[in-house]
Amino acid sequence: MEDAAPRGKLSIWLLGLVLGPVVLMLWLGRRRLALIYLAVSFLLVGAVFLAVASGLIAPPVWVDLDVASIFFYLPLNIVGLVHGLKIRDTAFARPWFSRWYAAIILPIAASWLIAFGVRALFYQPFNVPSASMVPGLMVGDHFFMSKIAYGEPRRGDIVVFKLPRDNQTDYVKRLIGLPGDRIQVKDGVVHLNGTALPLAPVEGIACMEGDQCHFFRETLPDGRSYVINDLTPNGSADNTLEYVVPDGHYFMMGDNRDNALDSRYLDQVGYVPRANIQGPAVLIFWNSMGLRVDDRLQGYPGR
C-alpha cells in the first residue's frame, strides 16, 4: 500500500458520472464504501424491476430498458460523485485495488462474468418485437426465460424455442400440443384430441392493436387457462387439417391467433423437437411502451 496525493477532481468527476460510485470508491482506495454502493445499486435496480413486474408501477412510456437503466443509476452516480469529492482529501492510501487496472477493469469484468453466468445457467432475458403473443406477451415486453431444470413441458406454457427450420432463430409461443396429440382448428376454435377447447369472452385487457382486439379465455382439459386474441372470424388459419404431433415434438400456437406464424404452418414452423425448447417464460419485468403488468389478466408469465 502506497501513500500519495489526493486524486484529481477531474478523474473523480469522470469516474463518478460515467462508471459509477463502485469504481470511484475503489479508485479512492475505499473498499468498504465500494461494497456498500454495490449493494445499494443491486437493491435499487431490484426494487424498480420488482415494482414493474408486480404491476405496482408502469415503466416510462416509449423508454427502452437500456435507456431507462441510465436513469436508474444516475441519482446514485451523483450521490457517489458528491461523496467522492467530499472524501477526496482524506483518501490518500493506494491499495492494490485502487490502481486503474484494478479499479476500472476488475468491476467491469466481474459484472460481465456475473451477467454471462446468470444468462448461461439460470435466467436469460428476451424482448418481444412482434404482436404474435398478444395479450400473453405485448410488443415491447422484456421477460426472463428460466433455464433451471425445466422438466417435461406442459400444455399452456409460454416457451422459448429455436425455430426448427434453421435451429438458430429464437421464437416464443404457447405450447398447445404434446407428443401424440391430435390438433385441429375449426372456425377459430382449437380442438384437442377431438374435443373443442372452451372459449369465454374477456374484457378489461389493454389492447395495443386498436379496435381489432377480441379477447377470449381458452381453457385446457386440465383446467389451465389463458387469454387469446381472435382478430377476425375468418383468419387464414382458422380452419385447418388435423395435425398429429410426432413423438418427441410439440405443437406451438401464438396467443394472437390471426397474427402468429406458428406450428399450424408446417413449412415455416411446424412441430418443435424437444431439443429445440430452451425453457419457459417466467417473469415479465419491463415494457418499453409503458404498459403496466396489471393491465393484463391471467394467462401470461408471473401471474
Side-chain angles (χ1 to χ4, degrees):
M1 183 182 298
E2 303 175 4
D3 289 334
R7 294 293 195 188
K9 290 184 178 181
L10 179 59
S11 65
I12 292 177
W13 274 91
L14 290 175
L15 292 177
L17 289 178
V18 177
L19 297 180
V22 175
V23 170
L24 177 58
M25 292 303 157
L26 289 176
W27 177 251
L28 293 173
R30 298 300 184 92
R31 178 177 55 191
R32 291 182 181 178
L33 288 176
L35 292 175
I36 291 173
Y37 276 108
L38 179 63
V40 171
S41 65
F42 278 130
L43 290 174
L44 177 64
V45 174
V48 172
F49 282 172
L50 181 61
V52 172
S54 65
L56 184 63
I57 63 173
V61 178
W62 300 107
V63 176
D64 195 74
L65 184 60
D66 294 335
V67 176
S69 63
I70 296 175
F71 293 98
F72 290 161
Y73 285 111
L74 187 58
L76 187 63
N77 287 5
I78 293 174
V79 171
L81 170 60
V82 174
H83 192 183
L85 291 171
K86 188 174 181 179
I87 66 173
R88 165 179 171 268
D89 292 333
T90 63
F92 294 165
R94 296 288 185 268
W96 68 270
F97 55 80
S98 69
R99 300 179 184 276
W100 72 268
Y101 53 81
I104 297 176
I105 296 178
L106 287 182
I108 294 176
S111 63
W112 184 86
L113 288 174
I114 291 172
F116 177 80
V118 170
R119 286 171 58 95
L121 300 176
F122 301 104
Y123 296 96
Q124 183 172 349
F126 288 90
N127 65 77
V128 181
S130 74
S132 69
M133 282 298 293
V134 169
L137 293 171
M138 295 292 201
V139 176
D141 274 348
H142 292 252
F143 67 91
F144 284 119
M145 179 205 73
S146 175
K147 292 187 174 183
I148 304 175
Y150 188 40
E152 190 63 28
R154 296 175 57 202
R155 289 194 194 98
D157 285 352
I158 294 179
V159 298
V160 177
F161 60 92
K162 295 293 185 182
L163 185 64
R165 76 166 183 258
D166 64 12
N167 291 322
Q168 293 183 348
T169 306
D170 291 316
Y171 257 48
V172 56
K173 295 291 183 286
R174 193 177 296 275
L175 193 158
I176 299 296
L178 301 176
D181 280 345
R182 293 178 291 108
I183 297 170
Q184 186 173 12
V185 183
K186 300 179 182 179
D187 297 324
V189 178
V190 175
H191 289 66
L192 179 63
N193 296 322
T195 302
L197 299 183
L199 293 177
V202 173
E203 297 181 354
I205 305 180
C207 180
M208 301 180 70
E209 296 189 7
D211 296 328
Q212 291 187 304
C213 291
H214 299 92
F215 295 121
F216 297 87
R217 181 169 293 280
E218 186 172 82
T219 303
L220 294 170
D222 63 359
R224 197 175 187 189
S225 68
Y226 41 85
V227 179
I228 68 166
N229 185 25
D230 188 9
L231 292 176
T232 65
N234 297 302
S236 61
D238 275 356
N239 290 279
T240 70
L241 300 175
E242 184 177 74
Y243 304 93
V244 180
V245 185
D247 288 343
H249 291 70
Y250 296 84
F251 195 90
M252 309 292 181
M253 294 184 70
D255 287 349
N256 198 352
R257 293 292 164 79
D258 295 318
N259 188 17
L261 186 64
D262 52 33
S263 292
R264 291 172 291 178
Y265 302 89
L266 294 178
D267 58 338
Q268 297 293 315
V269 180
Y271 308 112
V272 178
R274 176 64 180 89
N276 286 45
I277 297 178
Q278 301 180 70
V282 294
L283 180 69
I284 300 169
F285 63 90
W286 192 261
N287 181 275
S288 297
M289 304 180 83
L291 181 64
R292 194 166 70 102
V293 167
D294 274 0
D295 289 338
R296 315 139 188 253
L297 296 182
Q298 292 182 358
Y300 60 92
R303 305 300 286 176

